[in-house]
Amino acid sequence: MQHCATIERMSQKNRTKHGKAYNKSAEKRWFDRVVAAPLLIGMGSAALVAAAAMHKELGDGPTLFVQERYGSDLDDLVKVPKLRTLRGAVRNTASANGYNHSGAGPIGKLVRKAHVDEAPQLLQVLRGKMAIVGPRPLATGEVYNDILANPDIPEGLKQQWIDARKTARPGIMAPYSKEQHKPGYELDTIHMMEQDIVYAKEKASLKFDSMVVAATLGMVATDLVQKLMPRSAREWLQAKTGLASAGQERAESDVVVALQQAHTQPARRAA
């Protein structure tokens, strides 16, 4: 019996942690440090160059700013440092979805595309205030206007989401980071909440975090290569892979709408 108990304890010790157990474990902190340190070395130098370039592009105002966002607990705010890439005043709000924000110049768009503007957050990971993978740190407006005060979201889902976030530190990469890089992606609040809950309670593990990091870095690298490619090479690649850029898809959609309108207008006049 004693031998069986020893085997069971060893099995429990070696069993892969998931969900809350993993998010609160030393294994998670070890993973965060191992990933954050080399990323900071690589992205830190790029961030310094980007900061100097952004200062020239944006002119007045700070290049580095700190937003206070909701992290694990809605009663506690976490400081989220970022490089400023958008023109205009710095506000304590979430950045708009998409990488080609109208307020960003050419350099700002490239910096956002490469996520170099988020490099300072790696310091917060090393300090233990944030994680590499975890629920997004949310601006106050997102929490109250889009979630807590939203009558379309069930109260039970809101409470599950609040409870789930308490078990995980806010992350630089969300559990659904790969989806965010797909053309035309728009963040759905309920989908985000459900993904946060599933990650915090079930999916969180060393394997899953590794997969998110690998997929996200791969997508960022692909986006950058396509961005820096000559236009002819980018069009050739899209033709070979059968993929069209989001801009092309929108342009094609606009053409279809214009043709439909041109076709219906003569019919209306005739009537």
Side-chain angles (χ1 to χ4, degrees):
M1 292 293 293
Q2 185 176 1
H3 180 64
C4 292
T6 302
I7 293 176
E8 178 62 23
R9 284 196 298 271
M10 291 177 63
S11 176
Q12 290 285 349
K13 184 178 180 180
N14 295 326
R15 187 175 297 168
T16 303
K17 293 183 176 68
H18 287 80
K20 180 180 178 180
Y22 169 72
N23 283 324
K24 298 293 185 180
S25 69
E27 187 178 12
K28 171 82 168 179
R29 289 292 302 124
W30 171 84
F31 174 82
D32 287 341
R33 290 191 180 102
V34 167
V35 175
L39 280 179
L40 184 61
I41 294 172
M43 296 179 67
S45 55
L48 291 175
V49 174
M54 291 307 305
H55 181 72
K56 289 185 177 181
E57 182 173 81
L58 298 175
D60 59 342
T63 304
L64 177 70
F65 68 100
V66 178
Q67 292 179 327
E68 288 191 335
R69 296 191 177 190
Y70 287 111
S72 302
D73 197 328
L74 298 188
D75 294 328
D76 190 22
L77 295 175
V78 61
K79 295 184 183 298
V80 181
K82 294 187 72 174
L83 294 180
R84 185 165 70 99
T85 56
L86 306 179
R87 299 184 179 94
V90 174
R91 297 180 177 87
N92 192 35
T93 57
S95 300
N97 290 335
Y99 302 107
N100 292 327
H101 191 279
S102 58
I107 298 174
K109 290 177 182 178
L110 183 61
V111 170
R112 289 166 68 84
K113 192 88 169 177
H115 292 265
V116 173
D117 57 323
E118 298 176 357
Q121 295 172 31
L122 293 168
L123 293 171
Q124 290 291 69
V125 175
L126 293 176
R127 293 181 59 204
K129 301 295 184 180
M130 295 180 66
I132 291 293
V133 180
R136 290 173 60 243
L138 300 174
T140 53
E142 284 184 288
V143 172
Y144 286 105
N145 299 331
D146 298 342
I147 298 175
L148 298 183
N150 190 340
D152 296 329
I153 299 177
E155 292 299 322
L157 179 61
K158 293 177 185 177
Q159 191 58 52
Q160 286 185 56
W161 177 76
I162 291 171
D163 293 340
R165 285 184 68 93
K166 291 179 180 179
T167 67
R169 290 189 302 276
I172 295 178
M173 302 178 190
Y176 45 85
S177 287
K178 187 177 179 179
E179 299 176 25
Q180 291 179 296
H181 291 268
K182 294 179 180 178
Y185 172 81
E186 292 185 8
L187 182 64
D188 178 80
T189 302
I190 292 181
H191 176 69
M192 176 206 71
M193 294 171 70
E194 291 173 343
Q195 290 292 313
D196 284 350
I197 293 169
V198 172
Y199 174 79
K201 290 186 175 181
E202 300 174 14
K203 279 189 174 181
S205 67
L206 181 60
K207 181 180 179 181
F208 184 80
D209 280 7
S210 301
M211 290 170 60
V212 171
V213 171
T216 303
L217 294 180
M219 293 294 290
V220 170
T222 301
D223 288 347
L224 272 180
V225 169
Q226 292 184 355
K227 179 75 174 177
L228 298 174
M229 268 185 180
R231 183 175 180 181
S232 58
R234 186 164 59 247
E235 291 174 350
W236 176 86
L237 179 62
Q238 289 168 353
K240 286 292 184 182
T241 57
L243 298 175
S245 65
Q248 286 177 320
E249 291 174 354
R250 284 194 297 269
E252 290 171 2
S253 177
D254 292 342
V255 170
V256 171
V257 171
L259 288 173
Q260 289 174 342
Q261 290 175 346
H263 179 71
T264 54
Q265 282 175 356
R268 288 176 183 169
R269 288 173 187 156

